[in-house]
């Protein structure tokens, strides 16, 4: 009850009715009497409610308030009870007068005024004396508030969501769009109350859409009428209330501060990380007297006079980590002179990081170097796996090489035929003359072998999937993979059979050829010169015929070539961190025919192109850049150089985007500072204490207000923060959870 800082947020309910509302709610509230308060207190305690208010319709029961307030003890969940009234206020609209229920919470500082509060509300026969039908006019409402004379927090009762076409009686929405927007955007009310969970989503969406996420505040309340049905309205409406949490002290002033700052309102207890790597207090000795300084689990700001030793105290807290020996000796002597001894020590394992003034300056000057680059590296996604992309490009390279090979082979065969000569035919030989042709054509098994090798690679990859992706593969996935692998295995085995058949045929052909050639050599020994001449002519004729047939066959494979395939988009990996996006991508964002043509152009000399109908090996060698002197096959050089070009365009690239602009390579000192704090908000970095000395240095006031303030708030959601600042705007706008003033007078 004597808290000075917020260690735990408050769970609140500021809209509960009692029997005092019977003039409007009838029998539903008859049990809401002082005698039955234990029922309400037990329900509040069961739901861990810390701050509550009885807000009856247009009246205030001081005795009920006083009795409920007596239950607010440290040993209970209920720490604070505030006085309140739910006023019916009529607003003028184009459709006439529209009553709106306005929950009004009063400052409880003056108990004498509270005892007379109800006297300021016009009554007649123990019922409110309205001046505008069943409500007070807007002017009368403010007359009542002025006559009471207490500070207030006004909450508009909102049943429907903003913009809803369904109007509800006594709802803030019922006044029409124009007046409702006036309520919202002129801050007529500090906060809007809702009950249904789905309204939270619509409320936030509405606020974001209108650019007023910071100005529009929404809280939940039960509107409970029957205490034994709490937190439902009554036994017929036992809703699961999404309770609101406020980051504030259990006081009216704390409530008032919280509802004017959207960042202090949540429907989940997630203001602080709950990390065990935090400090409850800092212990100092001032001239020998022990001083214990309590800390919030959120943001703790150290302020004070110049040259009082704030930085020295923070450096001492971390045992002068990162401070050179000379500076450490000087700061230690200064603290001794000031009569200050820092008892608390924060070990490295409890710290996220410590940024003293010097380290901050160095960090901001070179965020993409050294330690700072390591910080950046933690946020980048894993590099893109380019192997499948290389394989896809490799298929196109093979098609290119196949087309080049066909043309080169055709030109070679054409040249060989053009240069072929036949011996003179001579006289007709007797029929007994023999001619031996020892060459037997056979099928090429290399295309089949390349297919088999690729299928084996696929099989091995599929076999490893189970081990690599056990955590995500389902039984159905594994079964499907096994079936696919079996089918691929069948294809492989079928083509292995074809290769075996070709190789067997080759062995037989080679054996026959050997026998024929041997017989030919033997025959030559006993044949006449004329017979030898005729045999040579027949052999040359057969070889030329075979060459011409081969040429025709090769010619069918020659033709224009171009890359034609469906583009393969290279999707970047993105890790959003605050207003930045850390991106892992490649040099190219797509592999398509145009990219492949560009790669081919890069490996050719300037002003050289390839005609796939007439290309030969000599011309290809002349067209290629930097052709190796020891290379035997220009087509293999094309393959290797194309592989290198593909590797270049698939080179891993890192990018940091802000509003779609890449800022990774061009980082200004001031922007570096903003980025640095944006990175620290990432909860994945850990939950240790973040200590920082004058974080506002190097940053403009505009950037502090628009960027850095929000970064620090989110940093504090994941970890405890201890900072030193000399900037009043930074301190006020940040809305720190704990301010520690250190002055030369000795007060801490």
């Amino acid at each position: 009850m004597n808290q000075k800082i917020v260690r735990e947020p408050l769970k609140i309910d500021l809209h509960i009715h009692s029997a005092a509302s019977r003039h409007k709610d009838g029998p539903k509230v008859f049990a809401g009497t002082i005698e039955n308060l234990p029922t309400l207190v037990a329900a509040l305690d069961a739901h861990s409610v810390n701050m509550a208010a009885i807000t009856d319709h247009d009246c205030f029961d001081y005795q009920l308030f006083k009795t409920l307030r007596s239950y607010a003890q440290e040993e209970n969940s209920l720490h604070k009870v505030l006085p309140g009234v739910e006023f019916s206020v009529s607003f003028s609209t184009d459709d006439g007068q529209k009553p709106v229920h306005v929950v009004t919470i009063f400052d409880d500082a003056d108990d004498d005024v509270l005892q007379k509060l109800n006297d300021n509300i016009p009554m007649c026969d123990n019922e409110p004396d309205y001046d505008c039908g069943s409500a007070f006019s807007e002017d009368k409402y403010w007359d009542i508030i002025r006559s009471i004379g207490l500070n207030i927090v006004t909450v508009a009762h909102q049943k429907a969501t903003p913009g809803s076409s369904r109007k509800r009686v006594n709802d803030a929405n019922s006044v029409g769009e124009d007046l409702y927007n006036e309520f919202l955007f002129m801050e007529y009310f500090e906060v809007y109350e809702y009950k249904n969970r789905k309204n939270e989503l619509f409320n936030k969406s509405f606020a974001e859409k209108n650019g007023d996420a910071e100005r529009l505040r929404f809280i939940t309340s039960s509107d409970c009428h029957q205490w034994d049905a709490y937190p439902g309205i009554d036994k017929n409406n036992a809703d699961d209330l999404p309770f609101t949490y406020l980051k504030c002290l259990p006081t009216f002033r704390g409530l008032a501060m919280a509802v004017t700052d959207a960042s202090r309102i949540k429907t989940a207890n997630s203001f602080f990380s709950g990390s065990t790597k935090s400090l409850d207090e800092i212990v100092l000795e001032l001239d020998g007297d022990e001083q214990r300084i309590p800390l919030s689990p959120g943001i703790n700001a150290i302020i004070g006079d110049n040259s009082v030793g704030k930085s020295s105290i923070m450096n001492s807290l971390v045992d002068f980590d990162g401070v050179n020996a000379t500076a450490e000796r000087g700061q230690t002597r200064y603290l001794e002179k000031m009569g200050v001894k820092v008892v608390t020590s924060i070990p490295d394992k409890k710290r996220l990081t410590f940024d003293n003034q010097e380290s901050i300056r160095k960090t901001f000057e070179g965020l993409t170097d050294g330690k700072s680059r390591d910080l950046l590296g933690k946020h980048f996604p894993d590099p893109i796996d380019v192997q499948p992309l290389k394989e896809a490009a490799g298929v196109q390279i093979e098609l290119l090489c196949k087309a080049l090979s066909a043309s080169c082979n055709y030109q070679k065969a054409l040249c060989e035929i053009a240069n072929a000569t036949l011996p003179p035919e001579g006289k007709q030989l007797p029929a007994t003359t023999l001619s031996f042709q020892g060459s037997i054509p056979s099928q090429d098994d290399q295309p089949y072998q390349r297919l088999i090798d690729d299928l084996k690679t696929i099989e091995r990859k599929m076999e490893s999937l189970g081990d690599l992706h056990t955590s995500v593969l389902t039984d159905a996935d594994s079964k499907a993979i096994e079936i696919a692998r079996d089918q691929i295995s069948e294809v492989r085995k079928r083509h292995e059979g074809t290769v075996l058949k070709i190789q067997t045929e080759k062995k037989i052909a080679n054996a026959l050829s050997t026998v024929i050639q041997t017989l030919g050599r033997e025959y030559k020994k006993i044949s006449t010169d004329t017979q030898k001449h005729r045999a040579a002519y027949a052999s040359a004729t057969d070889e030329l015929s075979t060459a011409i047939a081969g040429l025709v066959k090769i010619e069918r494979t020659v033709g224009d070539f171009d890359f034609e395939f469906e583009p393969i988009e290279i999707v970047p990996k993105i890790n959003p961190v605050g207003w930045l996006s850390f991106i892992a991508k490649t040099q190219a964002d797509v592999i398509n025919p145009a990219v492949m043509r560009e790669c081919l152009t890069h490996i050719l000399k300037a002003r050289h192109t390839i005609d796939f109908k007439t290309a030969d090996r000599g011309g290809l060698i002349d067209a290629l850049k930097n052709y190796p002197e020891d290379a035997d096959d220009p087509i293999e050089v094309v393959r290797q150089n194309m592989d290198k070009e593909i590797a270049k365009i698939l080179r891993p690239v890192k990018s940091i985007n802000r509003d779609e602009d890449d800022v990774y390579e061009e980082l200004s000192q001031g922007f570096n500072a903003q980025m640095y704090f944006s990175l620290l908000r990432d909860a994945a970095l850990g939950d240790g204490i973040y200590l920082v000395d004058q974080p506002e240095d190097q940053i403009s006031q505009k950037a502090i207000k628009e960027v850095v303030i929000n970064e620090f708030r989110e940093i504090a959601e994941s970890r405890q923060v201890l900072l030193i600042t000399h900037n009043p705007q930074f301190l006020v706008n940040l809305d720190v959870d704990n301010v520690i003033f250190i002055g030369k007078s000795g007060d801490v």
Side-chain angles (χ1 to χ4, degrees):
M1 300 295 283
N2 297 317
Q3 281 182 259
K4 294 183 179 180
I5 60 172
V6 179
R7 292 188 186 277
E8 291 288 340
L10 296 179
K11 194 175 185 181
I12 68 166
D13 186 354
L14 304 179
H15 191 174
I16 303 172
H17 288 278
S18 77
S21 292
R22 55 186 173 273
H23 62 276
K24 182 160 289 191
D25 293 322
K28 285 198 297 185
V29 296
F30 281 179
T33 62
I34 289 179
E35 293 76 19
N36 289 329
L37 274 176
T39 299
L40 176 60
V41 173
L44 293 173
D45 198 48
H47 289 84
S48 302
V49 176
N50 309 123
M51 178 185 284
I54 300 291
T55 49
D56 284 308
H57 290 291
D58 305 301
C59 63
F60 177 68
D61 187 336
Y62 173 77
Q63 291 300 323
L64 184 70
F65 160 75
K66 179 181 178 181
T67 306
L68 179 59
R69 184 174 60 180
S70 69
Y71 284 96
Q73 304 294 330
E74 289 187 355
E75 58 268 21
N76 297 330
S77 295
L78 189 62
H79 298 327
K80 186 68 175 179
V81 176
L82 289 172
V85 175
E86 182 178 11
F87 285 100
S88 302
V89 183
S90 185
F91 292 89
S92 298
T93 73
D94 293 339
D95 296 326
Q97 294 292 320
K98 295 289 184 181
V100 174
H101 284 181
V102 180
V103 175
T104 306
I105 306 298
F106 294 92
D107 189 347
D108 63 336
D110 192 332
D111 197 63
D112 290 338
V113 175
L114 291 179
Q115 292 183 46
K116 301 174 183 177
L117 189 154
N118 202 58
D119 296 341
N120 293 284
I121 302 175
M123 304 292 287
C124 180
D125 297 330
N126 293 322
E127 292 190 6
D129 187 11
Y130 300 120
D131 67 328
C132 191
S134 59
F136 294 113
S137 66
E138 185 180 0
D139 289 340
K140 187 61 177 179
Y141 168 72
W142 286 113
D143 285 343
I144 295 171
I145 297 303
R146 282 190 289 269
S147 65
I148 294 172
L150 295 174
N151 292 327
I152 61 171
V153 169
T154 55
V155 185
H157 185 40
Q158 174 212 348
K159 296 178 182 177
T161 58
S164 173
S165 60
R166 182 187 178 194
K167 306 305 180 186
R168 304 287 294 275
V169 177
N170 301 324
D171 185 6
N173 281 354
S174 66
V175 297
E177 182 175 357
D178 291 341
L179 184 54
Y180 182 57
N181 284 338
E182 181 181 336
F183 288 165
L184 291 175
F185 304 124
M186 295 298 291
E187 297 190 358
Y188 194 100
F189 301 107
E190 281 86 2
V191 66
Y192 289 77
E193 172 202 298
Y194 68 98
K195 182 176 177 64
N196 194 305
R197 280 186 184 275
K198 68 179 181 181
N199 279 16
E200 179 182 8
L201 177 63
F202 286 106
N203 287 342
K204 291 181 177 179
S205 176
F206 181 86
E208 289 291 339
K209 180 180 178 181
N210 287 276
D212 280 273
E214 285 298 317
R215 293 175 58 191
L216 294 180
R217 276 81 60 180
F218 299 94
I219 64 171
T220 59
S221 294
S222 67
D223 194 17
C224 178
H225 287 65
Q226 293 182 341
W227 295 345
D228 56 354
Y230 187 86
I233 295 177
D234 52 46
K235 292 180 179 179
N236 296 321
N237 296 278
D239 296 335
D240 179 21
L241 178 69
F243 282 94
T244 291
Y245 294 83
L246 302 181
K247 189 167 72 167
C248 67
L249 294 175
T251 62
F252 173 81
R253 187 176 181 184
L255 169 67
M257 291 180 64
V259 298
T260 56
D261 185 346
S263 69
R264 287 184 170 266
I265 306 172
K266 291 190 177 185
T267 53
N269 184 0
S270 59
F271 290 104
F272 306 124
S273 67
S275 169
T276 57
K277 295 180 180 179
S278 61
L279 292 179
D280 291 331
E281 62 182 7
I282 294 174
V283 181
L284 304 177
E285 287 184 7
L286 300 181
D287 295 325
D289 293 332
E290 185 178 82
Q291 298 286 337
R292 294 184 174 272
I293 304 172
L295 297 180
S296 165
I299 302 176
N300 303 269
I302 299 175
I303 64 172
D305 299 333
N306 290 328
S307 303
V308 77
K310 298 184 296 296
S311 295
S312 299
I313 290 173
M314 182 171 282
N315 285 330
S316 183
L317 284 170
V318 296
D319 298 324
F320 294 93
D321 185 15
V323 179
N324 64 53
T326 301
E328 179 181 350
R329 287 193 296 271
Q331 292 184 21
T332 300
R333 287 196 296 268
Y334 187 79
L335 289 176
E336 291 174 352
K337 179 182 176 181
M338 299 293 292
V340 177
K341 179 181 179 182
V342 180
V343 178
T344 300
S345 175
I346 306 175
D348 182 64
K349 64 182 181 181
K350 269 202 168 188
R351 305 196 303 259
L352 172 70
T353 190
F354 169 47
D355 285 324
N356 58 35
Q357 293 180 40
E358 187 68 12
S359 67
I360 288 178
R361 183 183 64 79
K362 290 180 178 179
T363 294
F364 293 172
E365 287 176 351
L367 189 57
T368 56
D369 299 319
K371 171 186 173 183
S372 303
R373 181 173 284 278
D374 292 340
L375 177 63
L376 289 179
K378 294 178 181 179
H379 300 276
F380 282 107
D382 292 334
I384 292 174
D385 181 8
V386 297
Q387 188 57 38
L389 300 170
K390 287 183 177 179
E391 292 174 358
V395 171
Q396 300 304 315
I397 294 173
E398 286 304 315
L399 293 175
L400 166 68
C401 292
K402 184 177 180 181
L404 287 173
S405 180
S407 180
C408 290
N409 289 339
Y410 178 71
Q411 294 301 322
K412 179 182 178 182
L414 194 62
C415 183
E416 289 175 349
I417 290 175
N419 295 325
T421 59
L422 294 175
E425 184 176 359
K427 296 180 180 180
Q428 182 68 37
L429 298 177
T432 56
T433 301
L434 296 178
S435 176
F436 295 89
Q437 176 63 44
S439 176
I440 302 177
S442 61
Q443 189 176 1
D444 184 9
D445 66 347
Q446 287 305 306
Y448 296 95
Q449 193 60 58
R450 286 194 290 269
L451 173 61
I452 290 168
D453 291 341
D454 286 343
L455 291 173
K456 285 182 177 179
T457 300
I458 295 173
E459 285 182 86
R460 285 193 294 270
K461 183 68 175 177
M462 296 183 74
E463 286 174 1
S464 66
L465 290 177
D467 295 330
L468 294 174
H469 307 289
T470 305
S471 60
V472 294
L473 285 176
T474 65
D475 290 342
D477 294 332
S478 299
K479 186 174 181 180
I481 292 171
E482 184 178 357
I483 292 172
R485 189 180 63 198
D486 290 342
Q487 291 175 338
I488 292 172
S489 178
E490 288 180 10
V491 175
R492 172 181 55 79
K493 291 175 180 178
R494 187 160 56 247
H495 287 282
E496 284 177 339
T498 301
V499 169
L500 180 60
K501 180 180 178 181
I502 293 173
Q503 290 175 346
T504 301
E505 290 176 350
K506 280 185 177 181
K507 288 180 181 179
I508 295 172
N510 288 338
L512 289 173
S513 179
T514 300
V515 171
I516 292 171
Q517 291 174 5
T518 301
L519 290 174
R521 286 193 297 270
E522 293 298 323
Y523 178 73
K524 278 185 177 183
K525 294 177 182 180
I526 60 173
S527 61
T528 66
D529 290 341
T530 301
Q531 289 174 325
K532 289 178 181 178
H533 180 75
R534 179 57 181 162
Y537 179 82
S539 177
T541 303
D542 288 342
E543 289 178 359
L544 183 58
S545 299
T546 302
I548 293 173
L551 180 65
V552 173
K553 184 177 180 181
I554 295 174
E555 186 181 26
R556 294 173 181 173
T557 66
V558 176
D560 286 333
F561 172 81
D562 195 9
F563 295 104
E564 295 180 358
F565 60 95
E566 289 295 322
I568 304 170
E569 184 180 0
I570 305 174
V571 181
K573 293 183 177 180
I574 302 175
N575 177 34
V577 180
W579 43 276
L580 301 172
S581 294
F582 283 73
I583 302 172
K585 56 184 181 179
T586 59
Q587 188 71 31
D589 55 10
V590 67
I591 294 179
N592 58 19
V595 169
M596 297 301 296
R597 293 186 202 108
E598 187 177 355
C599 289
L600 180 58
T601 300
H602 286 169
I603 71 172
L604 300 177
K605 294 177 182 177
R607 295 182 296 278
H608 280 71
T609 59
I610 297 176
D611 184 341
F612 288 91
K613 290 183 177 180
T614 62
D616 59 19
R617 280 174 169 75
L620 193 55
I621 291 172
D622 184 56
L624 291 171
K625 288 181 182 177
N626 305 318
Y627 190 83
E629 293 182 1
D630 59 346
D632 296 327
D633 184 1
I635 295 177
E636 183 59 31
V637 173
V638 169
R639 181 181 287 107
Q640 293 174 358
N641 289 349
M642 285 292 290
D643 284 340
K644 291 177 182 178
E645 290 299 318
I646 292 298
K648 289 179 184 178
I649 69 170
L650 294 180
R651 178 177 60 85
V653 175
K654 292 180 178 179
S655 173
I656 302 175
N657 280 15
R658 179 189 65 169
D659 298 330
E660 299 184 359
D661 293 328
D662 190 348
V663 298
Y664 184 53
E665 299 299 337
E666 300 178 4
L667 300 174
S668 67
Q669 185 169 324
F671 179 66
N672 283 1
Q674 299 172 47
M675 178 186 287
Y676 181 74
F677 294 127
S678 182
L679 301 183
L680 287 178
R681 70 194 281 184
D682 189 353
L685 289 177
D687 59 351
I689 303 169
Y690 177 46
L691 300 100
V692 56
D693 192 349
Q694 294 179 223
E696 71 276 11
D697 285 0
Q698 313 292 341
I699 309 176
S700 68
Q701 295 289 355
K702 183 174 183 290
I704 288 174
K705 181 178 180 180
E706 295 180 357
V707 179
V708 179
I709 293 298
N710 288 330
E711 308 294 9
F712 263 83
R713 286 175 175 172
E714 293 207 24
I715 289 172
E717 289 188 9
S718 302
R719 54 191 67 90
Q720 188 179 43
V721 177
L722 185 60
L723 63 89
I724 295 173
T725 181
H726 291 284
N727 188 319
Q729 181 181 346
F730 189 75
L731 186 69
V732 173
N733 290 338
L734 185 56
D735 191 20
V736 299
D737 302 298
N738 183 28
V739 177
I740 303 167
F741 175 78
I742 300 179
K744 290 184 179 180
S745 64
D747 295 331
V748 181

